[in-house]
Amino acid sequence: PGYLRATVSRGSASTKVEWAHDSAWRFMPTIHSDVVGYTLHPIDLAINKLLALAGRDEARDFVDILDLHTRTLPIGALCWASAGKDPGFTPFSLLEILRRRGKYHPEDFGRLNLVEPVDLPALKTQWLAALSDADAFVRSRSPSEVGCLYYSRSLARFVAPGTHGPEDTVPHYGRPG
């Protein structure tokens, strides 16, 4: 219940499509696509992926989080916001769980359809640096704002504010609906 998976094919090409019933709690409205229907906003997808990695130790989630850390929002900001979606966690408890991740072997990535081969030492270095930055970020935030994202009006995007970040950030909280 709440989860459907299908393989869609045409000729020799195929792809797996998954539909999931998510909670109604999110930071941003869903996005309508004429091709696939409604999808989660990339920020909500990133937060869900971080919570997935906290709940299961899968190589695919690990690779996804490292990519999201680089392209969407740093791990520290994702941990900070994730505590708002799942109040059973704190940013520190999420970081502690994530510190136990990242212990993979080459064969763990063998079944993934990756564009390029995995460089495990490079991923581990990136992972440890991301966790160190995340720890510093979480320690720098006011406990009264736990569970929020930070939006920069001048950059028109969500950011992880810091000593060198934009000065115009405002907290943005999720909610049901």
Side-chain angles (χ1 to χ4, degrees):
Y3 187 80
L4 298 169
R5 179 182 293 160
T7 300
V8 180
S9 61
R10 178 183 291 169
S12 63
S14 67
T15 189
K16 180 172 59 173
V17 180
E18 299 175 338
W19 294 271
H21 178 78
D22 187 33
S23 73
W25 195 99
R26 59 185 109 272
F27 283 94
M28 300 297 293
T30 56
I31 299 169
H32 181 264
S33 162
D34 291 334
V35 176
V36 297
Y38 287 94
T39 62
L40 290 177
H41 187 279
I43 289 290
D44 285 301
L45 285 170
I47 290 165
N48 285 0
K49 183 56 81 166
L50 185 119
L51 290 168
L53 182 59
R56 64 183 184 214
D57 198 2
E58 292 284 341
R60 70 177 188 265
D61 296 330
F62 175 73
V63 171
D64 287 344
I65 283 296
L66 282 174
D67 182 64
L68 291 164
H69 170 75
T70 303
R71 295 177 191 246
T72 305
L73 203 58
I75 290 173
L78 291 174
C79 286
W80 191 257
S82 293
K85 179 163 185 169
D86 188 338
F89 288 117
T90 68
F92 290 107
S93 68
L94 284 166
L95 273 175
E96 186 56 37
I97 291 168
L98 295 178
R99 284 186 183 100
R100 298 179 194 147
R101 305 295 189 243
K103 298 173 179 90
Y104 302 104
H105 298 278
E107 56 271 14
D108 296 325
F109 299 94
R111 61 185 169 83
L112 303 179
N113 188 18
L114 300 173
V115 174
E116 56 190 59
V118 170
D119 178 350
L120 280 177
L123 285 181
K124 186 65 167 197
T125 300
Q126 184 184 359
W127 181 246
L128 293 175
L131 292 178
S132 177
D133 291 346
D135 187 79
F137 175 81
V138 167
R139 290 182 189 285
S140 75
R141 307 313 314 152
S142 169
S144 67
E145 295 177 346
V146 72
C148 76
L149 290 165
Y150 294 95
Y151 187 79
S152 166
R153 291 181 178 134
S154 64
L155 297 176
R157 64 181 172 88
F158 292 102
V159 298
T163 55
H164 303 294
E167 300 281 329
D168 68 337
T169 59
V170 294
H172 176 87
Y173 292 90
R175 65 178 194 265

